[in-house]
Amino acid sequence: MRTRIINAHTLEPASGERQENAWLDIADGRIVDSGVGQPHALVDDVRVIDAAGGTVMPGLVDAHVHILVTSTDAADRENWTPGYATVRALRSAGEMLRRGFTTVRDVGGADYGMARALDEGLVSGPRLIFGGKALSQTGGHGDFRSLNDDSQPCCQLKPDFGRIADGVDAVRHAARDEFRKGAHHLKLVVSGGVASPTDEISAIQYTPEEIRAAVVEAENHNRYVTVHAYHPRAINQALKAGVRCVEHGNLLDDESIRLLVEQDAFLVPTIITYEAMHEVGEASGLSAGSLKKLDEVRTAAVDALERAHRAGVNLVYGSDLLGGLQTRQLDEFTIRGRVQPSLDVIRSATSTAARLLGMEGRIGTLNPGALADLIVLDGDPEHDLAVLTAPERNLRHVIRGGIVADVASAR
Ligand code: ZN
Ligand code: ZN
């Protein structure tokens, strides 16, 4: 069955082009035709959606999620079986779709089976672009063993986030293993993190040789490496080793910016997660030590965004929210809108995100031939980003692969 959207005010993010009184035809999961004015008559069965002058734009992309981390209660999570964790994750993915996110990129934990279940429509949710387990060195941001724990992790230290690999050969093997399991990208943690128990934010993790081994494996597989990094020592070392994307980047310096621009690399700031954790304090599940580390990165985050924006770095939308804080997923728009023009913020969650994911022309655009991933809004987000951040008021429809999601009933 075809779906036709009429009376649309379309927004094409890459060019910024707008069209009034436009129509779009959707068939077999794709946008097949579009135009302005009176559409041609259709003979087959067609579902008509009247946008009533509202904005029709590509569905949103969140390029930094952890769909498996649906709770920050670490003790409770110890008792979650993979089945239970997956059901919870897919339910939270469904909530993301109903906020307008038609694609999410998981950077630690999600697997092929979850992406397949979503693609097959077994559950309603966004496209899931996954990287399998994040690679961490021993004692790095992906090593959550307590000081009393001397167990030797071999393959899967944390089913919901990462795996340990030390040394060039082990990194190479882990990379090949994640690509064997269908990973779209490879994630490495290359500097200290907020949630990990013992590593300092300024600590560098992995050597240039280890990072380079991961990059070579990724390039051999036509994939790319993205890294968790805060400190410029870590960011710059990773960029010099050829990584294509940096997550967070809060403490970046001039050299980081120069390398990002020169290499046409991508930066995925995740400022909302620091703000949200800061607001709830201990209730976020963070220890006192982690809350102190949080302040180190939180206060620098907006400045880093500002500098990267001014230099023309490819910026992509990311939220990185864990557990119950995932409800704040749209609030990164508000933070970015204080720094960037709204059209640039919209691009970060559509056309620029599509480039990062290697899905240019397929998502993040309304051009015929693209996947029919789009949202219908009351109001104009280019005029006011708050149109995106209040879906209960403004989000009329979410269409993913041509399937019209039931947005209202789940609220
Ligand atoms: Zn991270
Ligand atoms: Zn993260």
Side-chain angles (χ1 to χ4, degrees), residues 186-206:
L186 193 66
K187 163 96 174 284
L188 261 66
V189 294
V190 302
S191 87
V194 170
S196 36
T198 49
D199 55 356
E200 291 173 20
I201 291 292
S202 63
I204 285 198
Q205 298 174 3
Y206 278 132

Side-chain angles (χ1 to χ4, degrees), residues 17-340:
E17 196 187 341
R18 328 269 324 216
Q19 285 188 318
E20 306 221 14
N21 193 23
W23 55 269
L24 276 159
D25 278 355
I26 295 167
D28 302 323
R30 289 180 184 272
I31 298 169
V32 291
D33 202 1
S34 64
V36 173
Q38 188 62 35
H40 53 81
L42 281 173
V43 277
D44 20 336
D45 204 10
V46 60
R47 169 180 181 167
V48 176
I49 293 176
D50 187 347
T55 301
V56 174
M57 61 172 278
L60 306 172
V61 180
D62 185 341
H64 192 124
V65 302
H66 297 279
I67 64 165
L68 275 160
V69 188
T70 52
S71 164
T72 50
D73 184 340
D76 188 34
R77 273 181 19 222
E78 289 296 312
N79 291 315
W80 292 7
T81 63
Y84 180 68
T86 300
V87 171
R88 287 182 62 115
L90 293 179
R91 189 186 66 167
S92 91
E95 289 164 3
M96 293 176 180
L97 182 74
R98 291 188 290 277
R99 292 182 195 113
F101 291 98
T102 50
T103 299
V104 299
R105 184 182 64 148
D106 190 277
V107 284
D111 69 17
Y112 169 82
M114 304 170 87
R116 178 174 169 173
L118 289 163
D119 278 343
E120 290 178 351
L122 302 182
V123 281
S124 165
R127 287 175 206 287
L128 175 62
I129 307 300
F130 65 96
K133 309 260 182 309
L135 271 53
S136 168
Q137 68 174 42
T138 290
H141 177 51
D143 187 346
F144 286 84
R145 284 175 296 171
S146 69
L147 302 189
N148 278 325
D149 184 351
D150 279 324
S151 62
Q152 288 305 309
C154 86
C155 310
Q156 302 197 346
L157 180 70
K158 269 280 181 194
D160 58 3
F161 181 66
R163 62 191 283 174
I164 304 249
D166 289 303
V168 166
D169 287 346
V171 167
R172 197 184 294 286
H173 173 261
R176 289 176 181 171
D177 193 44
E178 293 303 337
F179 291 129
R180 174 181 74 86
K181 293 173 185 163
H184 293 260
H185 57 266
L186 193 66
K187 163 96 174 284
L188 261 66
V189 294
V190 302
S191 87
V194 170
S196 36
T198 49
D199 55 356
E200 291 173 20
I201 291 292
S202 63
I204 285 198
Q205 298 174 3
Y206 278 132
T207 61
E209 293 75 25
E210 289 169 309
I211 301 170
R212 187 67 204 150
V215 168
V216 169
E217 286 307 320
E219 286 173 354
N220 287 353
H221 287 83
N222 299 325
R223 301 288 199 270
Y224 69 94
V225 173
T226 188
V227 294
H228 153 106
Y230 290 115
H231 199 276
R233 284 169 71 204
I235 297 170
N236 301 350
Q237 168 171 292
L239 285 166
K240 285 175 191 161
V243 308
R244 185 147 166 273
C245 184
V246 173
E247 311 295 315
H248 318 305
N250 301 36
L251 305 174
L252 52 73
D253 66 7
D254 290 343
E255 190 183 10
S256 318
I257 297 216
R258 182 178 61 76
L259 289 165
L260 283 162
V261 172
E262 269 177 22
Q263 302 182 12
D264 198 24
F266 294 78
L267 178 66
V268 185
T270 59
I271 306 174
I272 183 57
T273 193
Y274 316 109
E275 292 304 326
M277 286 192 286
H278 176 72
E279 281 167 32
V280 299
E282 277 169 27
S284 64
L286 291 181
S287 66
S290 284
L291 284 170
K292 204 168 148 280
K293 291 205 274 184
L294 176 66
D295 266 347
E296 274 182 65
V297 296
R298 182 180 67 86
T299 46
V302 171
D303 182 52
L305 171 65
E306 217 153 30
R307 291 165 66 192
H309 166 64
R310 261 188 277 127
V313 172
N314 298 315
L315 288 162
V316 176
Y317 192 91
S319 64
D320 196 21
L321 291 157
L322 307 178
L325 296 177
Q326 283 181 358
T327 53
R328 308 280 309 270
Q329 191 178 17
L330 289 158
D331 293 348
E332 179 83 10
F333 279 106
T334 311
I335 296 170
R336 302 230 186 158
R338 292 184 199 127
V339 174
Q340 296 180 274

